Every structure is written in structure tokens, then in C-alpha cells.
Amino acid sequence: MALQGRDFSLTSWARTPAGRKSSETVTKFLELVRLVPTGTFESAALLNAAANDLVKVGELKIFTPVFLVHVRKPAIAE
């Protein structure tokens, strides 16, 4: 599953539990030294919690969070 970060590449590191925890730590530090706006840490923590939950429900096969269908309504010819 893509959200689990199992391929162990540099780009997938942020999807691992350790990567999510370190991103929260860095975000909290950046907010503390005022390099990012207040609330950035809380937003990042919320997104990380959602990603963790998506992995869990994907493992339970409730739904597939990596499946996306992009559709566009065709233009009406005049």
C-alpha cells in the first residue's frame, strides 16, 4: 500500500511511522522558532493521524485509499 511507505526510498520515508513522527517534531520546532505560522504543527498532526487511519482501514480492506478515479464531464457541442 502506498501510504505505508514500504518501498524504503527517500521519497517514501515521510510515509513511514518514523517519518511522520520526525515531520511532526520538525514542524513543532519550526513553529516554536516562528519560521512557520501558528497552527502548522496542529495541521500536520491532523494530516498524519488521517494518514495513519487510512493505512489501518486499507489493511482491514474496508476501502482502498490509493484508488482514484478522475472523470470529466464532456463539453457539450454547440
Side-chain angles (χ1 to χ4, degrees):
M1 181 180 293
L3 289 174
Q4 289 174 320
R6 288 187 174 176
D7 55 349
F8 296 111
S9 66
L10 187 58
T11 57
S12 72
W13 182 75
R15 293 188 301 254
T16 64
R20 287 189 184 115
K21 184 64 179 167
S22 64
S23 73
E24 280 187 10
T25 303
V26 169
T27 307
K28 191 170 191 170
F29 172 75
L30 291 174
E31 190 174 314
L32 182 67
V33 295
R34 299 177 188 256
L35 289 176
V36 295
T38 303
T40 302
F41 168 74
E42 190 175 340
S43 297
L46 177 71
L47 290 171
N48 283 332
N52 289 334
D53 291 338
L54 283 171
V55 169
K56 286 178 190 174
V57 297
E59 289 170 347
L60 293 171
K61 301 201 185 305
I62 295 173
F63 75 99
T64 306
V66 294
F67 183 71
L68 171 70
V69 177
H70 184 113
V71 250
R72 184 173 57 188
K73 185 176 179 179
I76 299 174
E78 292 182 26

